[in-house]
């Protein structure tokens, strides 16, 4: 188990100084989430965030929905700053008092327009070439929960060049620390995400991920492993109509010997796909 001295994310003065991609007072000025289906979904995985009052669900903490339009605006702002996905999740707004909800439709639109280089993709294909989709993201108060349309998914990750397994709602804590005078952005206390390390250990928990000095690493089997370069969030090239329509589209896995969510929208993606994979314990 990885033991870290970590500072929780904090919006503090960062938003006021313009370091956040959210405008100052966004939580305060946004309407409370009141969609009962969304609140019920949040309660099913994070009961402490939702309460019932006179037979109606409402936030036990300030709950806000990030709309499609706002999500695309945030992605565009991240792209302009050349932020990667860990930079986005480390925004000070997600360490403050509000908790934000992104639903399936919003995530789908974001995935259509932007390449986020996620280890756990918004859309992918499992080892049997069956499509899977992220259905919700709940982020705030330095916590992140990711939900999928299935609770058991094994797939090949292009980003990690390994097989990964999702075993329920993915949970993690977000924070920052300093190591050797270098700032480190962390996703730790990761739950329900495993990686196939190969012989002799097999499937092992991914306990944490960190970004420092321009690279991303994962904490597995008692050590930080891998040195994947931070890939900035980037706009996708236009995709053929129907490409993201689930089973209606031809999954890339059917055209490749590797069952992956291949998003050939950038030279960086193609470069990473063409790299020779190294043995896990040697990375």
């Amino acid at each position: 188990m990885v033991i870290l001295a970590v500072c929780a994310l904090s919006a503090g003065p960062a938003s006021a100084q313009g370091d956040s991609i959210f405008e100052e007072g966004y939580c305060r000025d946004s309407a409370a989430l009141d969609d009962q289906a969304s609140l019920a979904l949040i309660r099913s995985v994070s009961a402490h965030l939702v309460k019932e009052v006179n037979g109606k669900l409402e936030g036990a903490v300030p709950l806000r929905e990030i709309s499609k339009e706002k999500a695309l605006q945030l992605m565009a702002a991240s792209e302009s700053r050349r932020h990667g996905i860990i930079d986005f999740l480390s925004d000070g707004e997600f360490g403050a008092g509000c908790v934000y909800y992104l639903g399936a439709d919003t995530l789908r639109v974001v995935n259509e327009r932007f390449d986020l280089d996620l280890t756990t993709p918004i859309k992918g294909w499992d080892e049997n070439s069956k499509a899977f989709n992220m259905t919700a993201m709940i982020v705030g108060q330095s916590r992140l929960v990711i939900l999928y349309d299935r609770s058991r998914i094994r797939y090949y990750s292009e980003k990690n060049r390994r097989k990964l397994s999702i075993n329920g709602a993915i949970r993690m804590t977000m924070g920052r620390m300093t190591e050797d005078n270098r700032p480190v952005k962390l996703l730790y206390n990761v739950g329900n995400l495993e990686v196939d390390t190969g012989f002799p250990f097999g499937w092992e928990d991914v306990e944490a991920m960190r970004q420092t000095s321009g690279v991303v690493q994962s904490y597995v089997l008692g050590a930080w492993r891998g040195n994947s370069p931070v890939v900035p969030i980037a706009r996708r090239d236009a995709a053929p109509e129907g490409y993201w329509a689930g089973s209606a589209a031809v999954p890339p896995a059917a055209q490749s010997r590797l069952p992956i969510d291949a998003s050939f929208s950038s030279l960086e993606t193609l470069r990473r796909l063409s790299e020779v994979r190294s043995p896990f314990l040697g990375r």
Side-chain angles (χ1 to χ4, degrees):
M1 177 179 295
V2 59
I3 301 175
L4 303 165
V6 183
C7 296
L9 299 177
S10 174
S15 295
Q17 295 173 358
D19 293 331
S20 173
I21 57 175
F22 289 82
E23 58 268 31
E24 186 177 2
Y26 179 76
C27 175
R28 179 195 63 222
D29 298 334
S30 300
L33 175 64
D34 62 2
D35 179 72
Q36 293 298 288
S38 300
L39 288 165
L41 180 62
I42 295 171
R43 185 172 67 166
S44 71
V45 292
S46 298
H48 67 286
L49 297 179
V50 178
K51 61 184 178 181
E52 185 171 344
V53 179
N54 298 324
K56 184 178 180 180
L57 299 178
E58 61 181 56
V61 301
L63 281 174
R64 306 288 186 264
E65 180 171 14
I66 294 180
S67 67
K68 297 175 188 177
E69 294 75 15
K70 184 62 181 178
L72 292 174
Q73 178 187 330
L74 294 174
M75 291 301 105
S78 296
E79 178 192 33
S80 69
R81 300 185 186 196
R82 295 191 59 76
H83 282 178
I85 187 61
I86 293 182
D87 295 306
F88 171 73
L89 293 172
S90 298
D91 191 282
E93 186 68 28
F94 294 138
C98 252
V99 175
Y100 293 98
Y101 171 80
L102 292 88
D105 286 346
T106 296
L107 292 167
R108 175 185 58 79
V109 170
V110 166
N111 196 50
E112 288 175 350
R113 306 283 182 85
F114 291 89
D115 183 352
L116 306 187
D117 195 51
L118 281 162
T119 296
T120 56
I122 292 176
K123 181 181 181 66
W125 286 266
D126 67 13
E127 59 187 358
N128 297 314
S129 298
K130 182 179 178 182
F132 63 88
N133 296 278
M134 190 182 296
T135 57
M137 181 181 288
I138 305 161
V139 55
Q141 298 186 352
S142 298
R143 302 289 188 272
L144 172 65
V145 180
I146 300 173
L147 301 177
Y148 282 88
D149 55 1
R150 286 183 273 147
S151 60
R152 299 283 179 176
I153 303 168
R154 282 190 175 181
Y155 64 101
Y156 182 84
S157 169
E158 173 198 344
K159 177 179 175 65
N160 296 82
R161 302 195 295 277
R162 305 297 304 184
K163 274 188 177 181
L164 292 169
S165 178
I166 297 169
N167 303 307
I170 299 174
R171 301 173 184 274
M172 57 189 75
T173 305
M174 303 174 293
R176 299 190 184 107
M177 62 181 289
T178 300
E179 184 178 76
D180 297 329
N181 294 319
R182 297 175 301 171
V184 181
K185 296 178 179 180
L186 285 160
L187 304 175
Y188 62 107
N189 291 337
V190 177
N192 295 325
L193 181 63
E194 296 180 329
V195 61
D196 184 2
T197 65
F199 181 83
F201 299 106
W203 289 95
E204 293 288 336
D205 291 333
V206 177
E207 297 183 47
M209 288 172 273
R210 71 177 180 182
Q211 176 179 310
T212 183
S213 300
V215 300
V216 177
Q217 298 175 307
S218 298
Y219 195 88
V220 182
L221 287 170
W224 290 107
R225 304 181 188 280
N227 287 286
S228 301
V230 175
V231 179
I233 292 169
R235 295 176 195 269
R236 295 186 186 275
D237 294 333
E241 185 176 355
Y243 183 81
W244 300 104
S247 59
V250 178
Q255 307 172 28
S256 168
R257 64 187 180 87
L258 299 176
I260 58 176
D261 180 10
S263 304
F264 300 112
S265 59
S266 67
L267 292 176
E268 177 62 28
T269 301
L270 288 170
R271 182 191 66 75
R272 286 182 287 116
L273 181 61
S274 65
E275 287 177 345
V276 177
R277 284 179 287 164
S278 304
F280 185 85
L281 294 177
R283 296 184 66 193

